[in-house]
Amino acid sequence: MLRLARLAIDSWREPVAFLNRGCTEYAAESFLGPRKVEVSDGRRSVTCVLNLVDDAALVARDALALSAHAFALLGLEEGAPVAIRRAPEPASRAALRARIAGRRLSEAEIDAVVEDMVAGRYAGRETAGFLVAAAQTLDDGEVIAFARARAERSAQIVWPDGMVVDKHSMGGIPGTRVTMVVVPIVIAHGLTIPKAASRAITSPAGTADTMEVLARVDLDAEEVCRVVAEVGGCIVWNGRLSHSPIDDVMNAVTRPLGIVSDRLSVSSILSKKAALGVTHIVFDIPVGPTAKVATRADADALARLFAVTAEGLGIAARCEITDGTQPIGSGIGPALEARDVAQVLAGDPDAPADLRDKSLMLAARVLAFAGVAEPRERAEALLASGAAARAMERLVDAQGRNPDPPGPGRLTREVAAGSSGTVAAIDCHRIAGIARRAGAPLEKSAGIDQFRQRGDRVEQGEPLYRIHAEEEADLAEAAAYAEQGSGFEVAAG
Amino acid sequence: MLRLARLAIDSWREPVAFLNRGCTEYAAESFLGPRKVEVSDGRRSVTCVLNLVDDAALVARDALALSAHAFALLGLEEGAPVAIRRAPEPASRAALRARIAGRRLSEAEIDAVVEDMVAGRYAGRETAGFLVAAAQTLDDGEVIAFARARAERSAQIVWPDGMVVDKHSMGGIPGTRVTMVVVPIVIAHGLTIPKAASRAITSPAGTADTMEVLARVDLDAEEVCRVVAEVGGCIVWNGRLSHSPIDDVMNAVTRPLGIVSDRLSVSSILSKKAALGVTHIVFDIPVGPTAKVATRADADALARLFAVTAEGLGIAARCEITDGTQPIGSGIGPALEARDVAQVLAGDPDAPADLRDKSLMLAARVLAFAGVAEPRERAEALLASGAAARAMERLVDAQGRNPDPPGPGRLTREVAAGSSGTVAAIDCHRIAGIARRAGAPLEKSAGIDQFRQRGDRVEQGEPLYRIHAEEEADLAEAAAYAEQGSGFEVAAG
């Protein structure tokens, strides 16, 4: 046995063990190489990369030193007796190699690969090889198996109600805060809807960013259970709630490699829904030239994959392919979107009609799961009666009301049409880029307020939208970017 | 600037830099992460993973320490002033990602990817993603570009003669030492043939292992140039001669991932030929159920790829698809194979006819490149006159003669036919496994001496082959393995 020591070295994510080359207990050289070593006292163990040391002042000949992170993972005292051995090969390596060579895997094989990945038994190059091979060629059965293997390794929430509903949008369209209208309607009807929403990554606002204008969203699982028990639903950030250990492993590969795969995405999305205990879900797939899904054929394929995978996981699913050719609602950016939502819930005649209409349609699809005979009428009634608005107030209080919600930014600049005509197209990427330059989503009050939609008539010099910002520099940058291209295409006539 | 220090830590292939977290010159924390750092004195630089140290006794606050390997790579003295910065992003990353997503790359893009790989600018997961994507889908133009990019980064040898010939076999057939007959014939004719051969990886002997029975084979490029200038050719180990820096990077990924790809292999093989200055080459592609190439269709595809890639590199190539259904020659294992070669060169009537015949065929193909009108007759004449045997003697002397070449192992065990009939098939994998258990290739004298070939009549109890070994334990293990399956299939009648 070797004496355990700690070296005050922070090797970032990689646990490292240090052995003297002249070690008295082991042939140290035989452990040096690509294969990791397992350091153990017989009960606790940690798997490390091995470095050899030629200086007894750093590591004594009868000692084994660990980097700070590895030492903490092992959790033993300095001086504890430890042994080392070559880390066991991942049991699923033959399956991983077979997948790289193109063979389909069984459910048990995929489960074993995921298990070994989560346990850190694979090198990054092996995970990368597997994911590149899998990204475009996982078949339906593999997508289901992958989703199930991931869900089983995520924190699971079990609800007292038999029916737990959800609504998920593929996003990509700025604005479009339907979730914040759908959830209150569904709660008002009495269904359970624990909505875990994302923050913006490349967009001006995610649902979690906009909800945060009104209330706390970084709730943990325990808080979510309390809120849902009290109110019937929630709208919280998924980052704290739906953490899946396999995501860390996969994102470390897929992000730097730029891997974009519907098959991996669908398995990820549905694994999170399964872990959250969702039993019924409506998928919203917006289609448009600058939306995430560009063509109807892509949308059909994605809808089919959602349906098949959900069924494989025992989740009832319905897919709606919707118009993704332009932003929904007037506001883009957290505070402006929250204003649109408030107008719809309040029955304000100035509320964006498109936001109201899409929200009612999706809410009706969710209510239909519960056997509601005329779900659209029911959804409209819950909105008109103020029941949905009151549900939202309860929700905001339960999650933790923001006492001083920000409004639209006080600095503004209008962008006008360069010519007269009809709005022929709106470039969602461009609009998102302008809103982000104005400061969204970090600056809640920043964004864009749109005055025109596709098909609207506009005269030269009339404003198309107004940029809002909190800082002069942000406003200037957004305005300059809008001047290079407003995102609105106006066709003569 | 920081003072350069050396830490006596061997981090295997990964250069590591160590910075004190309380560094006086840099915000150390900002460098910790997946991205590497570049350590430089303004002229020389090395790219390293960064670790942070919380112990000034290990790394002072005004110092930067390097692991032993990184320190050697940088090549500066301790105390030299150095600066650090985040390593630049690989310029070819967009191309690498595009290839992973399925887009074909231009020659310039492939060159840039190879450049960044060799420079260590990619993480293992990125190299893995690229190679998995590329393994099955590189098109012909990409294979050529890849071979060229690799050749340009290998040590190049330039020969005075305009014509430099070579012969390359896909191997996989035990025995089959045609190279050691072809090269002396070609030398005797007066052509330049600098043959770089491999050692065994999974077989009982590579050409380099068998040549080593007679002479030194671990020559460096300078020694090879001297030998070739003196004799006209060589038969040396390719491991010291044809080292390609990209191989280290690629093998670290393809071996653990089990990636087998004709397209990567062909680009590798031809890059080495190009770096060695080869202008004309004959490829030998043995086909058989237990050879490397199993079907005629696979062989045709491989031959086409060799031809197209060679042409792209300006190398004249001819492919021969040959019988790979059984070992060629009687001996398997270095000393036994060397004996077969000596018999063929000596014109011994007991020499294996199949080895003589295949060698003459391939030698004739090589001579045909030089415009020899009746190349087969010329090859036979060079063999019959003893000119080839004399060329081999000069070659052995020039490379460094082994004064005491080992003969077949003194411990023997014969393996007999279990029934009477005709030898219907010989399992090359099995025969190789028995010879390796007997001690080949590390034990030069170990191996198998075959008495029967496919189609031969054999009576029950008659010996099929004799196992040779130097150690009793090896002989027992090989014999026990042969008892489980001799590798010979004898069909009744």
Side-chain angles (χ1 to χ4, degrees):
Chain A
M1 303 286 269
L2 296 164
R3 282 186 305 110
L4 181 65
R6 178 180 183 279
L7 268 179
I9 292 179
D10 176 356
S11 49
W12 201 54
R13 289 194 186 155
E14 184 85 270
V16 184
F18 300 88
L19 192 64
N20 193 301
R21 196 185 302 270
C23 176
T24 53
E25 308 296 315
Y26 294 92
E29 283 280 359
S30 69
F31 290 95
L32 187 67
R35 188 129 157 239
K36 297 185 178 183
V37 298
E38 192 182 85
V39 179
S40 167
D41 73 339
R43 280 163 306 162
R44 304 179 60 93
S45 71
V46 62
T47 301
C48 299
V49 162
L50 186 80
N51 286 358
L52 291 188
V53 172
D54 293 288
D55 180 351
L58 287 180
V59 181
R61 286 174 194 270
D62 63 346
L64 178 97
L66 292 180
S67 63
H69 178 45
F71 187 84
L73 284 175
L74 185 57
L76 297 174
E77 299 290 313
E78 279 206 282
V82 291
I84 61 170
R85 62 166 183 155
R86 282 192 169 266
E89 295 278 329
S92 66
R93 181 171 274 154
L96 179 126
R97 284 176 170 220
R99 195 64 188 76
I100 288 171
R103 179 169 72 73
R104 295 288 180 270
L105 300 187
S106 70
E107 179 164 353
E109 286 174 317
I110 286 188
D111 192 75
V113 167
V114 170
E115 173 67 27
D116 283 332
M117 277 188 184
V118 171
R121 297 188 190 111
Y122 281 118
R125 56 176 186 258
E126 293 178 303
T127 305
F130 177 81
L131 291 177
V132 167
Q136 307 305 335
T137 64
L138 284 180
D139 71 14
D140 293 348
E142 289 178 314
V143 171
I144 294 168
F146 208 46
R148 194 172 290 146
R150 296 176 63 163
E152 284 168 1
R153 286 168 185 81
S154 301
Q156 307 262 335
I157 298 187
V158 180
W159 303 101
D161 281 7
M163 178 178 239
V164 176
V165 299
D166 198 1
K167 166 259 152 204
H168 185 95
S169 174
M170 286 308 285
I173 313 298
T176 320
R177 281 290 86 80
V178 289
T179 296
M180 286 173 64
V181 180
V182 171
V183 170
I185 294 174
V186 171
I187 289 175
H189 180 76
L191 293 178
T192 301
I193 183 162
K195 177 63 194 170
S198 54
R199 288 193 189 276
I201 298 174
T202 58
S203 72
T207 294
D209 299 308
T210 300
M211 185 66 189
E212 203 175 28
V213 170
L214 308 177
R216 247 191 86 209
V217 294
D218 60 339
L219 279 63
D220 65 21
E222 200 177 318
E223 293 173 308
V224 164
C225 288
R226 177 186 56 74
V227 168
V228 173
E230 195 179 319
V231 185
C234 66
I235 303 174
V236 300
W237 178 43
N238 62 13
R240 186 149 180 212
L241 189 63
S242 321
H243 182 79
S244 147
I246 186 80
D247 278 352
D248 294 339
V249 177
M250 288 183 56
N251 290 342
V253 167
T254 54
R255 287 187 185 156
L257 264 54
I259 295 175
V260 175
S261 159
D262 276 354
R263 310 195 76 80
L264 291 178
S265 294
V266 166
S267 92
S268 169
I269 290 166
L270 275 161
S271 74
K272 291 190 197 320
K273 303 304 181 190
L276 267 181
V278 170
T279 60
H280 296 73
I281 188 164
V282 172
F283 287 104
D284 167 29
I285 306 175
V287 179
T290 55
K292 272 195 190 159
V293 179
T295 68
R296 175 76 201 202
D298 289 348
D300 286 339
L302 186 59
R304 195 201 62 80
L305 189 59
F306 269 128
V308 166
T309 310
E311 190 188 345
L313 295 174
I315 296 173
R318 164 143 195 175
C319 297
E320 293 296 330
I321 297 174
T322 57
D323 176 13
T325 56
Q326 62 182 336
I328 303 250
S330 306
I332 291 161
L336 288 152
E337 294 171 15
R339 180 208 59 192
D340 286 356
V341 167
Q343 288 176 337
V344 171
L345 288 173
D348 187 327
D350 290 339
D354 55 353
L355 177 62
R356 181 178 185 276
D357 186 61
K358 183 167 182 181
S359 301
L360 284 168
M361 184 273 286
L362 292 170
R365 297 285 183 265
V366 173
L367 297 183
F369 282 134
V372 175
E374 294 190 312
R376 170 83 188 206
E377 288 68 16
R378 172 68 177 154
E380 285 182 8
L382 290 166
L383 202 55
S385 70
R390 288 191 297 275
M392 186 61 147
E393 292 302 306
R394 292 198 302 276
L395 190 57
V396 166
D397 282 327
Q399 289 189 199
R401 181 180 295 272
N402 181 353
D404 190 18
R410 61 191 172 84
L411 302 175
T412 62
R413 182 82 54 90
E414 288 186 353
V415 174
S419 61
S420 300
T422 304
V423 177
I426 300 177
D427 179 342
C428 292
H429 294 320
R430 191 82 201 169
I431 294 294
I434 297 165
R436 284 180 68 92
R437 280 165 177 78
L442 287 184
E443 184 59 73
K444 296 284 187 197
S445 59
I448 286 177
D449 205 11
Q450 294 186 104
F451 307 136
R452 289 287 185 278
Q453 291 191 304
R454 209 158 49 91
D456 285 355
R457 173 81 203 169
V458 63
E459 299 304 322
Q460 184 179 359
E462 275 187 352
L464 295 166
Y465 52 82
R466 182 183 295 138
I467 305 171
H468 289 261
E470 279 295 311
E471 305 288 338
E472 285 289 357
D474 292 343
L475 185 67
E477 194 185 340
Y481 191 67
E483 227 160 80
Q484 289 163 33
S486 69
F488 274 60
E489 188 186 324
V490 176
Chain B
M1 301 289 266
L2 297 163
R3 283 187 304 112
L4 181 65
R6 179 182 183 276
L7 268 179
I9 291 178
D10 176 356
S11 48
W12 199 54
R13 290 195 185 152
E14 184 84 272
V16 184
F18 300 88
L19 192 63
N20 193 299
R21 196 185 303 270
C23 176
T24 53
E25 307 297 314
Y26 293 92
E29 282 281 358
S30 69
F31 289 97
L32 187 66
R35 188 129 157 239
K36 297 185 178 182
V37 298
E38 193 182 84
V39 179
S40 166
D41 73 338
R43 281 163 305 160
R44 304 179 59 94
S45 72
V46 62
T47 301
C48 299
V49 162
L50 186 78
N51 287 358
L52 291 188
V53 173
D54 293 288
D55 180 352
L58 287 181
V59 181
R61 285 171 194 272
D62 64 345
L64 179 98
L66 292 179
S67 62
H69 177 47
F71 186 85
L73 284 174
L74 184 57
L76 297 175
E77 299 289 315
E78 279 205 281
V82 291
I84 61 171
R85 62 164 183 157
R86 285 194 167 262
E89 293 279 329
S92 67
R93 182 170 272 154
L96 179 125
R97 284 176 171 222
R99 194 64 187 77
I100 288 171
R103 179 168 72 75
R104 296 286 179 270
L105 300 187
S106 70
E107 178 163 354
E109 286 174 318
I110 286 189
D111 192 75
V113 168
V114 170
E115 173 67 27
D116 283 332
M117 279 189 183
V118 171
R121 295 187 192 114
Y122 281 118
R125 56 176 186 257
E126 293 177 304
T127 306
F130 177 81
L131 292 176
V132 167
Q136 306 306 335
T137 63
L138 284 179
D139 72 14
D140 293 348
E142 288 177 315
V143 171
I144 294 167
F146 208 44
R148 193 173 290 145
R150 295 176 64 162
E152 284 168 3
R153 285 167 186 83
S154 302
Q156 308 261 338
I157 298 187
V158 180
W159 305 101
D161 281 9
M163 178 179 240
V164 176
V165 299
D166 197 2
K167 166 259 152 205
H168 184 95
S169 174
M170 285 307 285
I173 314 298
T176 318
R177 282 293 82 84
V178 289
T179 296
M180 287 173 63
V181 181
V182 171
V183 170
I185 294 173
V186 171
I187 289 175
H189 180 76
L191 293 178
T192 301
I193 183 164
K195 176 64 194 168
S198 53
R199 288 194 189 275
I201 298 173
T202 59
S203 72
T207 294
D209 300 306
T210 300
M211 185 67 188
E212 202 175 29
V213 170
L214 308 177
R216 247 190 86 209
V217 295
D218 59 338
L219 280 63
D220 65 21
E222 202 176 316
E223 293 172 309
V224 163
C225 289
R226 177 186 55 76
V227 168
V228 173
E230 194 179 320
V231 186
C234 65
I235 303 175
V236 300
W237 177 43
N238 61 13
R240 185 147 181 214
L241 188 64
S242 320
H243 182 80
S244 146
I246 186 81
D247 278 352
D248 294 338
V249 177
M250 287 183 55
N251 290 341
V253 166
T254 54
R255 286 187 186 157
L257 264 53
I259 296 175
V260 176
S261 159
D262 277 353
R263 310 196 76 81
L264 291 178
S265 294
V266 166
S267 92
S268 168
I269 290 165
L270 276 161
S271 74
K272 290 188 198 321
K273 304 304 180 191
L276 268 180
V278 169
T279 60
H280 296 72
I281 187 163
V282 173
F283 287 104
D284 168 28
I285 306 175
V287 180
T290 55
K292 271 194 190 162
V293 179
T295 69
R296 175 76 202 202
D298 289 348
D300 286 338
L302 186 59
R304 194 200 63 80
L305 189 59
F306 269 127
V308 166
T309 311
E311 189 188 345
L313 295 174
I315 297 174
R318 164 146 195 174
C319 297
E320 293 296 330
I321 296 174
T322 58
D323 176 13
T325 57
Q326 62 182 338
I328 303 249
S330 306
I332 291 159
L336 288 151
E337 294 171 15
R339 180 209 59 194
D340 286 357
V341 166
Q343 288 176 338
V344 171
L345 289 173
D348 187 326
D350 290 339
D354 57 351
L355 177 62
R356 181 178 186 276
D357 187 62
K358 182 166 182 180
S359 301
L360 285 167
M361 183 274 285
L362 292 171
R365 299 283 183 266
V366 173
L367 297 183
F369 283 134
V372 175
E374 293 190 314
R376 170 85 188 202
E377 288 69 14
R378 172 68 176 151
E380 284 182 7
L382 290 165
L383 201 54
S385 69
R390 288 190 297 276
M392 185 61 145
E393 291 303 305
R394 291 198 303 276
L395 189 57
V396 166
D397 281 328
Q399 290 189 197
R401 181 180 295 273
N402 181 353
D404 188 18
R410 62 191 172 84
L411 302 174
T412 62
R413 181 81 55 88
E414 289 187 349
V415 173
S419 60
S420 299
T422 304
V423 177
I426 300 177
D427 179 344
C428 292
H429 293 319
R430 191 82 200 169
I431 294 294
I434 297 165
R436 284 181 69 93
R437 280 165 178 78
L442 287 184
E443 184 60 71
K444 296 282 189 202
S445 60
I448 286 176
D449 205 11
Q450 294 186 107
F451 306 134
R452 291 286 185 279
Q453 292 192 303
R454 211 158 49 89
D456 284 356
R457 172 81 202 168
V458 64
E459 300 303 322
Q460 183 180 0
E462 275 186 354
L464 296 165
Y465 52 84
R466 183 183 293 138
I467 304 171
H468 288 261
E470 279 295 310
E471 304 289 339
E472 286 289 357
D474 292 343
L475 185 68
E477 193 186 339
Y481 190 66
E483 227 160 80
Q484 290 164 32
S486 69
F488 275 61
E489 188 187 325
V490 176

